[in-house]
Amino acid sequence: MANHKSALKRIRRNEAVRLRNRYQHKTTRNAIKKLRGTEDKKEAETLFPSVVSMIDKLAKKNVIHANKAANLKSSLAKHIATLA
């Protein structure tokens, strides 16, 4: 167990950050699934900027790796391009 006051504060803060990261990561994954599931090109094009923004925010906070973010954005862009 932590002996210092600052260590106890850090434990509390780490838990709060962990939960926030988990929530944002799950929300982004659901948005990606929704985008991949759409068959309508117009709807997909309107969703795309918000999903890309979410992915970029996760990469900026190191929740996901920058290369994974780039791969996700690329694959989503390809998916939208194939829609008719």
Side-chain angles (χ1 to χ4, degrees), residues 33-41 43-44 47 79 83:
K33 285 177 191 172
K34 183 178 178 184
L35 181 59
R36 284 198 177 124
T38 57
E39 298 296 323
D40 184 31
K41 188 167 186 163
E43 187 182 344
L47 280 174
H79 171 71
L83 294 175

Side-chain angles (χ1 to χ4, degrees), residues 1-46:
M1 188 61 199
N3 293 321
H4 297 284
K5 193 173 186 180
S6 62
L8 292 170
K9 289 179 190 174
R10 193 69 195 170
I11 289 169
R12 286 196 307 266
R13 188 180 182 297
N14 285 345
E15 181 64 13
V17 169
R18 185 185 73 85
L19 291 174
R20 187 180 317 121
N21 286 341
R22 207 169 124 197
Y23 171 77
Q24 289 173 344
H25 195 187
K26 184 65 175 175
T27 306
T28 304
R29 286 197 309 261
N30 286 336
I32 290 168
K33 285 177 191 172
K34 183 178 178 184
L35 181 59
R36 284 198 177 124
T38 57
E39 298 296 323
D40 184 31
K41 188 167 186 163
K42 294 268 189 208
E43 187 182 344
E45 286 174 342
T46 57

Side-chain angles (χ1 to χ4, degrees), residues 1 3-4 7 23 26 29 31 55 57 63-64 68 76-78 81 84:
M1 188 61 199
N3 293 321
H4 297 284
Y23 171 77
K26 184 65 175 175
R29 286 197 309 261
I55 291 170
K57 284 176 187 170
V63 176
I64 61 173
K68 178 176 178 150
L76 290 173
K78 283 181 190 174

